[in-house]
């Protein structure tokens, strides 16, 4: 049975949750789907394209409205919901691989520079939060109880 593009993205997200972004390889995604790696290239040109599609899937449920704080919080929640979700967001934002619809929607309620700054802040803070929480979960660092509040404070500074 052939896999669809949706199957490939879903499989990649399962691999991401199981192994993290560092080990989310095309070979591992193919294994998750029970196909040869070459089969993936019928759906995506390369891993960067797949990362963009993964990021788009992660942020797809984020609704944007005029209150830019609310979609920022929803984006953070969406990225924190899965392992390395924020790292996928950071990678795709840095390389401009995905999340364009979200950035455009934010710009529709502000302007392009505010949207880009807001997106980079939310992704960056969320990535740091996710990394810290993962390290705290295995005892490398002490948990920081201020992460959520510091996100809110930073968001308020940007949206002044």
């Amino acid at each position: 049975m052939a896999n669809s593009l949706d199957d490939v993205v879903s499989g990649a997200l399962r691999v991401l949750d199981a192994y993290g972004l560092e080990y989310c390889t095309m070979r591992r995604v193919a294994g998750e789907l029970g196909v040869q790696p070459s089969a993936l290239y019928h759906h995506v040109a390369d891993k960067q394209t797949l990362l963009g599609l993964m990021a788009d899937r992660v942020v797809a449920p984020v609704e944007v409205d005029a209150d830019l704080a609310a979609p920022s919080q929803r984006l953070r929640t969406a990225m924190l919901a899965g392992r390395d979700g924020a790292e996928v967001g950071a990678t795709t934002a840095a390389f401009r691989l995905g999340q364009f619809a979200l950035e455009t929607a934010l710009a529709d309620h502000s302007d392009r520079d505010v949207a880009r700054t807001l997106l980079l802040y939310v992704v960056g803070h969320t990535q740091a939060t996710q990394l810290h929480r993962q390290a705290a979960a295995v005892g490398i660092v002490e948990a920081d109880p201020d992460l959520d509040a510091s996100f809110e404070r930073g968001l308020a500074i940007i949206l002044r």
Side-chain angles (χ1 to χ4, degrees):
M1 184 171 170
N3 289 297
S4 66
L5 176 59
D6 184 61
D7 295 331
V8 172
V9 175
S10 295
L13 289 170
R14 287 192 302 273
V15 170
L16 178 70
D17 273 341
Y19 299 100
L21 184 58
E22 182 178 0
Y23 298 105
C24 186
T25 64
M26 296 297 272
R27 183 172 301 283
R28 205 165 250 149
V29 172
E32 172 71 20
L33 297 171
V35 299
Q36 294 296 314
S38 61
L40 299 180
Y41 296 101
H42 293 284
H43 301 287
V44 294
D46 49 36
K47 184 177 178 184
Q48 291 75 23
T49 301
L50 181 56
L51 282 172
L53 293 169
M54 292 165 65
D56 287 343
R57 175 81 64 84
V58 168
V59 304
V62 177
E63 293 181 31
V64 177
D65 50 47
D67 172 17
L68 295 179
S72 298
Q73 293 156 342
R74 289 190 285 268
L75 173 58
R76 183 173 188 260
T77 298
M79 288 187 295
L80 288 173
R83 180 175 176 175
D84 290 349
E87 191 170 352
V88 169
T91 301
T92 59
F95 297 141
R96 308 292 285 159
L97 298 171
Q99 303 178 349
F100 296 118
L102 180 62
E103 188 172 338
T104 300
L106 289 168
D108 288 345
H109 294 286
S110 57
D111 67 44
R112 199 177 92 198
D113 291 333
V114 170
R116 184 83 177 131
T117 299
L118 192 56
L119 184 62
L120 289 173
Y121 169 73
V122 174
V123 169
H125 193 289
T126 306
Q127 183 182 23
T129 298
Q130 197 161 47
L131 181 61
H132 184 86
R133 287 179 180 173
Q134 290 169 354
V138 295
I140 295 172
V141 298
E142 292 292 321
D144 182 351
D146 190 48
L147 290 171
D148 294 335
S150 71
F151 174 78
E152 296 298 330
R153 289 190 303 271
L155 189 59
I157 290 167
I158 292 169
L159 295 176
R160 276 189 205 163

